[in-house]
Amino acid sequence: MRRRTFLQAVPAAALAGRATAPGAPDRTVDTLCEMCFWRCGVRASVEGERITRLEGHPTHPLSQGRLCPRGLGGTGAIYDPDRLLFPQVRVAERGMERFKRVGWDEALDEIAARLRPILEQHGPESICGLVHGQSDSHPIHFLKALGSPNTATPSYTECRGPRDAGFILTYGQEVWSPEITDIRNTRCLTLIGYHLGENMHNSQVQEFAEALRRGAKLIVADPRFSTAAGKADYYLPVRAGTDLALLLAWIHIVLAEDWIDHAFLARYATGLAELREAVRDTTPAWAEAETGIPAAQIAETARVMAEARPAVCVHPGRHASWYGDDVQRTRAIAILNALFGSYGREGGFFLPVSAKIPPYPLPPYPKPRKPSADGKGTKYPFAEKTSAWGLVRATAEQDVYPIKAWIVSAADPFHSTPDPRLVQKAIDRLDLVVVVDVLQGEIAGYADILLPECTYLERYDDLHAPPGRETYVAVRQPVVAPLGESRPNYEIFRDLGLRMGLDAFYPWKTWEDYLDTRLQKAGYSLGQIKRELHIPTGQRTQPLAPDHRFPTPSGKIEIYSAQLAEKGFDPIPRYTRHARPEAGWFRLLNGRSPLHTFSRTINNPALSSIHRENDLWLNPAAARVLGLRHGQRVRLTNQDGATAGPVRLRVTERIHPECVYMVHGFGHRARGMRRARGQGAAVADLFTRFQIDPIMGAAGRNHNFVRVEEA
Ligand SMILES: Nc1nc2c(c(=O)[nH]1)N[C@H]1C(S)=C(S)[C@@H](COP(=O)(O)OP(=O)(O)OC[C@H]3O[C@@H](n4cnc5c(=O)[nH]c(N)nc54)[C@H](O)[C@@H]3O)O[C@H]1N2
Ligand SMILES: Nc1nc2c(c(=O)[nH]1)N[C@H]1C(S)=C(S)[C@@H](COP(=O)(O)OP(=O)(O)OC[C@H]3O[C@@H](n4cnc5c(=O)[nH]c(N)nc54)[C@H](O)[C@@H]3O)O[C@H]1N2
Ligand code: SF4
Ligand SMILES: [Mo]
């Protein structure tokens, strides 16, 4: 059991559900998955005009012949009976979810007519985009062409922003997606929270299984006994929010016992002396009091990692927005890896390459008149991208400049951005809310104009040339024609752009023309990529050269960060204690279901038939005190009086007694989500308290404490 692969857990036929039909398909079409943002290659079988089966593309680098359960369940996304199939306009108060069907021309004319006066009175910066997924490039292009600086995805300050900032400060480079972790070749993998196996990024999970098969050591620090913990050589049930103490103690041991890679550090790094000074007192005994992990085990796991160096990977995680000091936690991870000399080395981190495909020739975007409203680069000096949370805040408060319109595409701030009350306040301040979605979920209920995008199986998107060990370019292409009147974003936003006089930014005749033009410039063609799905472009990752200069100010790995010092932040991570829950209260944690992606798949007929509702994990000791039983329904109330549930209770030793845990994304209320509605509880409803990382603005949400009562 321990070393089995993760991806065999669910039979494909179960996920394809009724879409599966026996017999040979009429044809197959190769395309890219978008059930999450890993973007694996998919082979779709089609009978007549219906997709009957999805399987992993045999050679695509991110699928390697397989899909994760969510990818297999993509037929449930296209054939969900609740799909949005027509443009609609609102006919009752926002939030009442009452709409009337209109034609595309009427819907787009209405948006243009309402955008024009907003632009005239308040300027382009008063229009914000909250967008996600690969089709977000189209609303982003539209908003940049208008001159707005305000587009954000919830994958920065709500997800991996602090991790990437921590690595950029240390190595000058982010961790990228797909991550540059060389899990395939590692001899020791350390996961801090990062719950691989439930967090189901396909090829990464395959590499994880491969590493375990080869006998790599696995260390997992998590207040919850995760799937990965079940496979670990060392499981550390760390008290939530104390990982930085654990990391500083590991660093202490590695320095004290001289496990460092001297040659690597002498060549590539700066700031070792300051580090020694800073961690003199962060002993395992000190960390034991903070983390609850015995000092001897802290020291032992440090040695296990050190013995594998440089083929050791202390994984920086991905969803890193936890406590508001997450850049510093990630900095400690980056520093520990540097001590082991694992960066740019086999089994640690590889140096990524990505295919350079020339852009389509376009005029430059107008320079925004004002900076983005979220404080990027000013209030939050090391923010690289605009913050979704920051735009929600600036809209709710209207204290930077007027923000009057939102264009939301493939993102739901009610689920992804704290706090839902702030999202509501922001929406109340808007003159115009446009939502482009495939379903009528929570955010759609607040749209003035609601537009149906077609699903990823019915459209192209832009070329995909991700960072990795080898370069390639791939393309998503339509498997079947869009259902109903749904349309791809490249058509929706082009038609809107032409109405707004942005003709110069939409010179191509069709999207195929756009794609073919770009590919031809690189020596390929749309015809070729449609046949082959992914075209290798010939570059491979290289080992770190002896004279490698890191893109940091010093050209070195910055263990001591003068950049941080200059802005008044700790130049070396320093531990500060977070408030702990009082008796009767529990810290609320959340994570992923292997069968769902955020809130977006909960209504999917294929996936919900296997995982329909979430449950609340509670430690038996706590359950006893509260008089609660496994399986009963409970309701949650947080420190601000926000409530969620009822949700089924899972009484389990697998969760730290100070915490409760739920999978994120459930608890839909929208009437348009007939299957998901009322199933489980929405974690996001309870994330009303959050702490902002002063370095780059990430919204750490693990500061919410809840009470649990019988429902
Ligand atoms: N509470 C809480 N918040 C979180 C997280 C968490 O764990 N807990 N995780 C954070 C992380 S890691 C991330 S990356 C973000 C994700 O944040 P989001 O991307 O906002 O995630 P979802 O909640 O799934 O919202 C997706 C919306 O896109 C719609 N949609 C799906 N497919 C398509 C499509 O093809 N086209 C269009 N137009 N719409 C589509 C869905 O119907 C849904 O309304 O959330 C972050 N926020
Ligand atoms: N199936 C599936 N896979 C996904 C996704 C999905 O939606 N579904 N989303 C993808 C995306 S965009 C992202 S960002 C990633 C997110 O995947 P991760 O980065 O792994 O996600 P998190 O939600 O941060 O981590 C959840 C784990 O962290 C633990 N944890 C919580 N607090 C603490 C703490 O203080 N210390 C420690 N050590 N552990 C803690 C939780 O108990 C849980 O096991 O997953 C990706 N993969
Ligand atoms: S990891 Fe799964 S859901 Fe994500 S793109 Fe790959 S197959 Fe699709
Ligand atoms: Mo994420």
Side-chain angles (χ1 to χ4, degrees):
M1 183 67 183
R2 177 168 178 271
R3 304 264 128 148
R4 82 174 154 85
T5 91
F6 300 86
L7 294 172
Q8 283 165 347
V10 183
L15 286 162
R18 273 182 297 158
T20 304
D26 300 336
R27 60 195 163 97
T28 61
V29 180
D30 294 343
T31 189
L32 298 181
C33 187
E34 179 87 353
M35 292 297 284
C36 83
F37 312 127
W38 205 245
R39 309 207 168 110
C40 303
V42 178
R43 180 154 291 170
S45 300
V46 185
E47 287 172 35
E49 270 312 300
R50 196 171 173 92
I51 301 175
T52 52
R53 184 183 166 84
L54 301 171
E55 57 201 317
H57 187 274
T59 58
H60 187 276
L62 298 176
S63 45
Q64 302 174 57
R66 289 174 159 187
L67 297 179
C68 86
R70 299 166 297 153
L72 294 170
T75 48
I78 179 169
Y79 300 123
D80 188 332
D82 289 344
R83 259 189 69 185
L84 279 175
L85 294 176
F86 310 100
Q88 300 175 76
V89 296
R90 183 167 61 79
V91 295
E93 227 177 285
R94 281 189 193 140
M96 299 295 287
E97 307 179 90
R98 297 201 31 222
F99 297 93
K100 116 177 155 215
R101 179 176 167 182
V102 294
W104 272 106
D105 281 337
E106 188 181 341
L108 295 176
D109 285 345
E110 168 91 9
I111 296 171
R114 291 173 65 174
L115 280 178
R116 273 186 219 107
I118 294 174
L119 267 173
E120 251 160 55
Q121 283 173 40
H122 305 289
E125 63 278 2
S126 66
I127 306 171
C128 285
L130 295 173
V131 299
H132 207 182
Q134 209 188 350
S135 70
D136 69 9
S137 63
H138 311 291
I140 290 173
H141 176 66
F142 170 75
L143 286 159
K144 284 188 171 168
L146 280 181
S148 172
N150 288 321
T151 50
T153 65
S155 53
Y156 188 64
T157 48
E158 286 67 33
C159 172
R160 57 198 178 90
R163 169 195 85 172
D164 289 332
F167 265 60
I168 289 170
L169 283 162
T170 314
Y171 295 98
Q173 283 282 329
E174 60 169 288
V175 187
W176 303 103
S177 173
E179 279 77 12
I180 58 171
T181 44
D182 192 13
I183 295 174
R184 186 197 289 166
N185 296 309
T186 199
R187 292 179 53 220
C188 179
L189 178 65
T190 298
L191 302 177
I192 299 168
Y194 199 63
H195 57 326
L196 261 183
E198 290 157 285
N199 153 2
M200 264 292 171
H201 279 162
N202 187 357
S203 53
Q204 196 177 46
V205 175
Q206 292 189 40
E207 289 196 18
F208 181 36
E210 172 64 25
L212 294 179
R213 255 195 308 275
R214 278 190 304 92
K217 289 276 187 291
L218 177 64
I219 299 167
V220 173
D222 194 316
R224 186 180 67 99
F225 189 81
S226 59
T227 302
K231 294 164 195 296
D233 299 282
Y234 297 88
Y235 168 55
L236 312 177
V238 61
R239 171 177 288 123
T242 66
D243 302 276
L244 186 47
L246 175 65
L247 284 155
L248 293 175
W250 276 338
I251 292 173
H252 174 95
I253 288 288
V254 169
L255 288 171
E257 299 182 2
D258 198 22
W259 290 103
I260 63 176
D261 187 328
H262 286 277
F264 180 91
L265 292 168
R267 191 183 291 272
Y268 298 117
T270 143
L272 191 58
E274 291 93 334
L275 180 69
R276 285 188 196 282
E277 181 60 31
V279 300
R280 213 186 355 227
D281 300 327
T282 65
T283 59
W286 163 80
E288 174 175 336
E290 294 302 316
T291 61
I293 308 300
Q297 205 180 19
I298 296 176
E300 185 181 347
T301 43
R303 292 174 198 131
V304 169
M305 287 186 264
E307 273 160 7
R309 75 190 190 286
V312 51
C313 178
V314 186
H315 201 291
R318 180 173 173 113
H319 176 215
S321 305
W322 286 352
Y323 297 96
D325 58 358
D326 307 300
V327 175
Q328 294 289 14
R329 184 183 67 251
T330 313
R331 279 262 301 146
I333 294 172
I335 290 168
L336 184 57
N337 280 299
L339 298 182
F340 292 141
S342 70
Y343 196 87
R345 309 278 282 281
E346 192 170 288
F349 293 75
F350 60 82
L351 303 181
V353 284
S354 59
K356 299 280 169 282
I357 308 293
Y360 193 98
L362 286 172
Y365 293 124
K367 191 172 154 29
R369 310 182 308 171
K370 301 202 171 147
S372 59
D374 61 328
K376 175 180 67 179
T378 48
K379 185 159 188 209
Y380 303 111
F382 296 98
E384 300 263 330
K385 293 181 185 164
T386 307
S387 161
W389 165 78
L391 294 186
V392 170
R393 194 214 62 82
T395 307
E397 305 306 337
Q398 297 282 324
D399 56 355
V400 184
Y401 42 68
I403 294 179
K404 294 294 174 186
W406 275 8
I407 294 179
V408 183
S409 175
D412 190 339
F414 280 111
H415 287 277
S416 55
T417 315
D419 119 24
R421 300 169 308 181
L422 195 68
V423 176
Q424 176 73 59
K425 184 173 172 192
I427 289 174
D428 291 344
R429 297 296 186 85
L430 291 167
D431 292 349
L432 176 64
V433 181
V434 176
V435 174
V436 189
D437 210 299
V438 292
L439 287 168
Q440 200 169 316
E442 279 66 31
I443 185 64
Y446 290 82
D448 300 325
I449 294 132
L450 179 54
L451 303 176
E453 193 181 15
C454 55
T455 67
Y456 72 100
L457 292 165
E458 303 159 293
R459 65 179 195 235
Y460 292 100
D461 269 312
D462 210 337
L463 298 173
H464 189 231
R469 296 182 181 95
E470 288 163 28
T471 55
Y472 69 88
V473 55
V475 77
R476 170 169 299 125
Q477 62 177 321
V479 178
V480 292
L483 295 187
E485 289 180 15
S486 65
R487 300 174 74 194
N489 265 357
Y490 45 86
E491 289 181 6
I492 298 173
F493 284 94
R494 181 171 195 263
D495 283 3
L496 192 57
L498 298 179
R499 279 172 168 79
M500 299 301 293
L502 300 174
D503 306 46
F505 293 93
Y506 294 95
W508 50 84
K509 285 201 263 328
T510 61
W511 191 249
E512 275 121 330
D513 166 39
Y514 166 96
L515 292 171
D516 195 43
T517 304
R518 288 192 65 193
L519 286 162
Q520 296 276 358
K521 281 167 172 271
Y524 312 108
S525 72
L526 184 61
Q528 181 189 0
I529 205 170
K530 280 171 74 75
R531 280 191 307 277
E532 297 172 18
L533 181 64
H534 66 108
I535 304 173
T537 61
Q539 276 164 284
R540 289 185 55 84
T541 177
Q542 299 295 324
L544 212 54
D547 59 350
H548 184 87
R549 270 188 71 81
F550 286 83
T552 55
S554 64
K556 303 258 186 192
I557 300 169
E558 300 198 339
I559 291 174
Y560 175 94
S561 174
Q563 296 190 80
L564 283 176
E566 196 206 321
K567 297 284 181 193
F569 301 115
D570 291 333
I572 298 209
R574 197 163 50 89
Y575 177 74
T576 47
R577 184 185 285 185
H578 296 299
R580 291 181 190 164
E582 286 172 19
W585 293 82
F586 304 91
R587 188 187 300 279
L588 175 64
L589 304 180
N590 80 157
R592 313 281 164 230
S593 160
L595 286 149
H596 285 290
T597 302
F598 320 123
S599 84
R600 63 180 61 207
T601 58
I602 309 295
N603 203 64
N604 178 309
L607 298 173
S608 90
S609 69
I610 304 177
H611 189 186
R612 194 173 179 92
E613 59 177 317
N614 58 352
D615 48 18
L616 181 82
W617 297 39
L618 178 71
N619 188 278
R624 251 190 319 277
V625 172
L626 297 174
L628 295 171
R629 294 178 321 280
H630 182 78
Q632 82 179 109
R633 304 254 157 200
V634 293
R635 188 171 283 284
L636 304 171
T637 309
N638 81 356
Q639 71 288 330
D640 298 324
T643 60
V647 60
R648 208 177 41 203
L649 188 67
R650 179 195 292 203
V651 176
T652 170
E653 294 283 357
R654 290 174 58 186
I655 182 81
H656 194 286
E658 288 175 15
C659 307
V660 290
Y661 173 86
M662 275 195 286
V663 164
H664 162 59
F666 286 86
H668 282 277
R669 275 189 291 269
R671 277 202 297 271
M673 307 274 276
R674 286 177 296 179
R675 207 164 304 93
R677 189 168 186 227
Q679 302 295 332
V683 174
D685 285 349
L686 298 165
F687 283 162
T688 54
R689 183 158 73 188
F690 51 105
Q691 203 162 305
I692 298 305
D693 197 313
I695 298 177
M696 48 61 71
R701 284 153 298 195
N702 288 7
H703 291 290
N704 291 275
F705 299 141
V706 293
R707 280 187 291 119
V708 186
E709 285 153 333
E710 185 169 356

